[in-house]
Structure formats: structure tokens, C-alpha cells
Amino acid sequence: MSSQDVLKNASTLASYNVLLQVMFRVLTFLLNAFTLRFVSKELIGVVNVRLPLGVLWAALLVCVWLWFLELPNQQTIPYYGSAVVLFALSGVQELLAEPLWVLAQAHMFVRLKVVAESLAMIAKCSVTVVLVVFAHEWGLYIFSAAHLVYTGFLVLCYAVYFIRFLGSQEAAKKGFPLKCVGDLLPSRPLIDWTLARLTWSFFKQSFLKQILTEGERYVMTFLNVLSFGDQGVYDIVNNLGSMVARFIFLPIEESFYVFFAKVLERGRDVRSQKQEEVAIAAEVLERLLKLVLVVGLIITVFGYAFSHLALDIYGGSLLSSGAGPTLLRCYSCYVLLLAVNGVTECFVFAAMSQEEVDKYNLVMLALSVSFLFLSYMLTWWAGSVGFILANCLNMGLRIMHSVLYIHHYFLPTQWKPLRGLLPSPLLLLALAVSTVVTALSEGVFCCDGGWLLRLVHISVGAVCLLIVFVTVVLTETQLIQFVRTQLLPRYRKKHT
């Protein structure tokens, strides 16, 4: 498969993933806005406590959650013990689909992922709504049962697809490496030690990355730095603030990691690789960096002035009073770092050799320890905002490492993909003016003067956003061309 074909497939995968994530986030957004009217913030806080996966880990940590950690009040949070067991079972159940998901992702089975996760999310939302309306007294049973249904649908969809696909004429036509369902099971030799060592390196990296990504949840759970109510508000704000990151940045990161891994030869010096493919990789990396930077800057600018209004519409005074607006404003800044880090790390992980991955694991270990320490100290100093500040510092260090790696990687060549981190001066001016105007608008019109003044504030923001979009179209022409030809499926079909 040529590098252009790989780019086309990766772009298609990213496009469908974005659409899928948009649907998920809209459904989740509506579902959360609905359930907030029926359940307490304490219940939401308990639901979002993290349970690591795996049969042994699930069994061990169920014991920890039930016997060693503080238990919530049974009258306020009923059925806590049973719900913990059900959440652990759903995690184990989801692991059954993981090998099939990896197989589908590696071979770019776009529609399978879209259909499987769409059906699973629709089933989960349907079960949640029905139980919240007709059996809200079940408490945590509602969310644990809904998640069990979600993971069950995932396993069922992937299993049914591969049972029908393997051995079919379509599989033979595509030259699929597996011929029957039995090929999915362990065979002799049981272990390919070369792949096992690389897998172990990535496992250690994933474990440390999990701490860096979800570390604040474990600090909340084990050190009791926030009450369940404050955890609930933090989780709601976190989910709301990360919507764009999840339905735009994450699909791009996952899909173009596959692209970089297929185009570049892992661990080889850039000068000894096919220069045509290196050029394509550099160009794509530059465009992706510019794309996520522009989107991240827009979210940061407009998120600051519209956080209070968004939370008031979404959850009423439960979220808009107290620390909620400050949390969302800080998270808007964090999204910018999250966006840049996703693209830089997806390239770095695709290009690193096994030895470089092992060295980076030591860096991740140091970052993990410092992150957990910072999370605790900053939370003690600044409350729940401290978690976001710790995340910002952690993400900044990871970006610095990735930028240095990319700089050294392309240093012997003529390509400079890091230029994607330099937006045009006119765009920066438009964003700066929008920041001042929308902040003044929020102070004058929002949010206690009724809906008429709120609409004026929204109108001011819409005009500023339109000006920023026009500036992007006029000044970032190469970025617009990349988005049209690679990330918009309808235009790409006409273009090709």
C-alpha cells in the first residue's frame, strides 16, 4: 500500500471517528443534562471513580474499594457495593473486545468501529434514560447496569463481525492475514519474543500514561482531597470541557498514529528512509499541528468568556455557582495543551525504536511521580482547580519532550514540520481582540440579567467567532486545503 493510500485511509478513519465522537458527545451531553435533574452531584462523583481493568486487578481493587476506602452514606448513595462489582465486570467484559478492536484499527475497518460503538452508546443511553425516569431509586445500579450493557454490545458487535468476516470471500480479496476464528486464539509458538518485548515497553508506557491521564482521579479516590460533591462537579466540568478534545483531537491522534506508523520505519534514521514518504509525513505533521493549534486557541479564547453561561445552561445553579466556571475557564486553557500534545506524541510514538520507548518510559515514570505530587499539593492549595494546573504543567513537559524529539528527527532534512506551531500574526491579532471583546461582553451582559442580555452576549461571541473563522480562511490557506482534501469525505471523493 502506497503512502498516499495510507494517508487516504487514515484521513477517512479520522473523519468517521470525528463524526462518531460528535454523536457520542452530543448524546452524552444531553444524557448528563437530563440526569442532572434527577440525581445528586454526590452520585455523579461516585460514578466517575476509576476502576483499573483486568480480571486480577478487578478482583483486587473491588476488595480495595469495598473494604479499604471510605464508603459513601448508604442512604445518599444506595447499592454502592453491588455497583462496584458490576463496574468491574463491565471492565473485564470490555477487555474481551480489545484484541478485536486493535485488529480492526490496524486494518482500518472504519465502519465496524462506527457501527459497534454507535449501537453500544445508543443502548447505554436508552437504558440510562429508562431507569432514571422509571427507577431512579436504584441509584448506582442505573449507571453500572447501563455500562454493562454498553460493553456487552461492543463485544457482541465485534465478535459477530469477525465470525462472519474471517474465511469469507471479502477477507480473501483483501488478503487478510487471519483465515478463521481459530487464528485469533493462541498457537505455537505461544510467544513471539521480539513483539513481546515491544509490547511490554508499550504496556509500561501505557500504564504510566494512564497515571498521567487519570492520576487526579486516583488522588481524589485514595487521598480524599475532595468531597464526593466536589468530585461530581469536577467530573461534570471535566467531561464538558473535554468534549472537543475527545471528538476532534482524539480521533485525529488515533488515526494518524496509524498513518505515521505505516509510512515511517520505526527506529531507522530519517536519512535512510524513502524521502518521498518522509516528505509526506512531515507535511501531514505540520498541517495537523496547525489544525489542532488553531482549534485549541479558539477554544481557549471563547471558553474563557462563555464558561459561566455554558454551565448555567447545562446544569443550572448546581454548576454555575461556586468553582464551576473557574474550573471550566482553566480547562479551556488546558485543552490547547492537550491538543498539541496529542499530535506530537502520536508522531513520536510511531517513530521511536524499542530502545527509545524504554528510555521514554523512564521519563514517563518521573513525570508520573511529579504529577501525583503536584496534584496533591496544588489541590491542597487551590482546591479542584489544582488538578487542572497540575495537568497543564505535566502536559507542558510532555510537549517539550516531543517537540525536541521531532526537531532532532527532522534536523538532517529540509523539512520543518514544527512550523505548524506558528499561527499567522493576523490570526493572533483577531484572537486577542476577540478575547478582550468577549470578556467585556460577559462582564456587561452575562449572566444574571435574563435571557435577552444572554442572547446579546452570545451574539457578540458569534460575531467575534465569525471574524476569527474568516481570518483563518484568508491566512491559513494550506490548512484549509488540507482539511478539505483529507478530512472532509465528500470533498475528498470529488477531489480524487
Side-chain angles (χ1 to χ4, degrees), residues 231-246:
Q231 288 185 42
V233 173
Y234 177 86
D235 284 315
I236 294 167
V237 170
N238 179 61
N239 290 334
L240 183 62
S242 63
M243 282 181 65
V244 176
R246 291 179 180 177

Side-chain angles (χ1 to χ4, degrees), residues 318-352:
L318 175 69
L319 299 181
S320 60
S321 60
T326 303
L327 276 173
L328 190 55
R329 289 189 182 104
C330 293
Y331 205 98
S332 299
C333 300
Y334 173 56
V335 165
L336 174 60
L337 298 175
L338 201 64
V340 175
N341 180 72
V343 172
T344 54
E345 278 197 347
C346 92
F347 176 86
V348 169
F349 292 158
M352 277 182 171

